[in-house]
């Protein structure tokens, strides 16, 4: 029965990713990382997540990447975590968003320039743009995430009379798909715009350098056999065969 249940879970995961139209490999190849520089768990998993105090490159000391900077409401952060796990779930290939620290990556991004739209023109007029113009909203990204998470919980209560974090995976996928298809209404922004930001940020957090809070122990890179931040490829560049390398993070060059 356990194997059958796991198979159903894997099928649900693959179907959602297929329907979303985004795959991790395609995003990395498409340069999404250049554009973007809690949780539904049981008690044991939550304690493990909250208790992670060391990581590779910071052995023996506090892991400050596991400190919240933007979210003050723990319920919001748990909702964000559950949503990211459905977008990038754990499977036989490796860890999912929660174990990779993706929710913390997003939290830190929202607390900084990304969340405050510091590099975007934010004066009016604000008109609905074409599909090629991206989102057109007077809201900052941090406000869009807040609004999206609010409506996510509202939709869960209206549809299933329970919190989003308590729903099963298929129910969570159902709600996220409604956001993707603009079947729910948000104030000041399209639901699909929020979903796009959530999806891009989730995948960026899975594959960004661990310095930014995600990609714990470079596990995201290991899944793709990505070498990370190597100092040089002089000894490998002439090889006609694929060279498997131990990935290196930015903090490795500080020692």
């Amino acid at each position: 029965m356990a194997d059958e249940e796991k198979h159903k879970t894997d099928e649900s995961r693959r179907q959602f990713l297929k329907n979303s139209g985004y795959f991790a490999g395609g995003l990395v190849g498409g340069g999404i990382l250049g554009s973007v520089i809690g949780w539904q768990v049981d008690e044991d998993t939550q304690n493990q997540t909250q208790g992670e105090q060391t990581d590779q490159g910071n052995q023996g000391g506090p892991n400050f990447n596991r400190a919240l900077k933007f979210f003050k409401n723990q319920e919001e952060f748990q909702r964000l975590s559950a949503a990211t796990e459905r977008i990038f779930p754990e499977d036989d290939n490796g860890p999912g968003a929660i174990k990779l620290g993706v929710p913390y990556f997003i939290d830190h991004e929202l607390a900084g320039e990304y969340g405050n739209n510091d590099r975007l023109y934010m004066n009016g007029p604000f008109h609905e743009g074409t599909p090629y113009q991206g989102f057109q909203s007077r809201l900052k990204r941090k406000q869009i995430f807040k609004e999206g998470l609010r409506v996510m919980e509202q939709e869960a209560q209206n549809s299933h009379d329970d919190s989003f974090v308590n729903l099963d995976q298929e129910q969570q996928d159902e709600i996220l798909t409604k956001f993707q298809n603009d079947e729910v209404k948000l104030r000041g922004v399209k639901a699909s715009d929020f979903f796009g930001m959530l999806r891009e940020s989730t995948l960026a957090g899975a594959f960004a350098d661990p310095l930014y809070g995600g990609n714990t122990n470079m596990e995201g890179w290991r899944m793709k056999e990505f070498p990370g931040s190597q100092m040089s490829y002089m000894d490998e560049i002439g090889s006609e065969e694929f060279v498997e390398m131990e990935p290196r993070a930015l903090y490795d060059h500080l020692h």
Side-chain angles (χ1 to χ4, degrees):
M1 288 297 294
D3 291 340
E4 181 179 351
E5 191 66 29
K6 182 177 184 300
H7 176 73
K8 290 181 179 180
T9 299
D10 290 343
E11 285 299 318
S12 172
R13 170 184 305 134
R14 282 192 286 270
Q15 187 62 36
F16 176 75
L17 290 174
K18 179 180 178 181
N19 289 340
S20 74
Y22 258 59
F23 289 87
L27 278 173
V28 174
I32 190 66
L33 295 185
S35 68
V36 181
I37 300 285
W39 44 96
Q40 182 187 2
V41 291
D42 55 26
E43 183 176 353
D44 290 339
T45 305
Q46 180 171 341
N47 290 337
Q48 177 184 357
T49 304
Q50 292 178 323
E52 288 181 324
Q53 291 299 310
T54 61
D55 64 7
Q56 188 171 342
N58 192 26
Q59 297 293 337
N63 183 357
F64 296 109
N65 276 335
R66 292 298 180 268
L68 293 178
K69 298 180 179 180
F70 174 71
F71 286 101
K72 308 301 181 185
N73 184 321
Q74 194 63 230
E75 292 181 356
E76 281 184 326
F77 185 70
Q78 292 175 6
R79 206 174 306 144
L80 171 71
S81 300
T84 62
E85 185 71 13
R86 293 310 305 140
I87 292 173
F88 197 98
E90 180 173 1
D91 60 15
D92 294 339
N93 294 314
I98 291 176
K99 287 187 177 179
L100 286 172
V102 168
Y104 289 97
F105 168 86
I106 295 176
D107 170 81
H108 297 177
E109 292 295 304
L110 293 177
E113 290 184 357
Y114 174 78
N116 287 290
N117 293 28
D118 285 354
R119 298 179 183 272
L120 292 182
Y121 177 81
M122 290 299 294
N123 294 322
F126 296 96
H127 301 296
E128 184 173 346
T130 70
Y132 302 101
Q133 292 177 310
F135 84 99
Q136 305 288 313
S137 173
R138 66 181 70 251
L139 299 180
K140 296 180 178 180
R141 291 189 183 97
K142 63 182 182 182
Q143 295 170 315
I144 293 174
F145 268 80
K146 283 272 192 178
E147 174 67 3
L149 293 172
R150 181 190 69 81
V151 176
M152 188 183 298
E153 179 66 10
Q154 176 180 290
E155 186 65 25
Q157 294 289 349
N158 291 342
S159 300
H160 303 287
D161 196 28
D162 204 348
S163 176
F164 182 83
V165 299
N166 294 331
L167 303 182
D168 62 37
Q169 295 173 348
E170 290 187 1
Q171 292 170 331
Q172 290 177 341
D173 289 354
E174 170 195 313
I175 291 175
L176 290 173
T177 300
K178 287 183 179 180
F179 277 83
Q180 181 188 16
N181 295 334
D182 281 322
E183 296 173 8
V184 293
K185 297 297 182 182
L186 276 65
R187 297 176 301 196
V189 68
K190 293 169 59 178
S192 58
D193 288 335
F194 162 68
F195 180 80
M197 291 181 190
L198 175 65
R199 181 172 54 190
E200 288 179 1
S201 298
T202 296
L203 294 172
F207 297 111
D209 191 279
L211 182 68
Y212 298 103
N215 191 13
T216 301
N217 291 335
M218 298 177 285
E219 291 300 326
W221 289 348
R222 295 179 200 279
M223 281 189 279
K224 300 194 68 63
E225 298 182 320
F226 180 68
S229 302
Q230 301 288 332
M231 290 291 290
S232 171
Y233 296 95
M234 289 296 294
D235 295 334
E236 296 84 12
I237 198 169
S239 175
E240 295 182 359
E241 297 183 1
F242 178 78
V243 178
E244 190 171 335
M245 306 175 68
E246 179 67 15
R248 298 194 66 185
L250 291 174
Y251 52 58
D252 290 333
H253 304 301
L254 302 178
H255 302 289

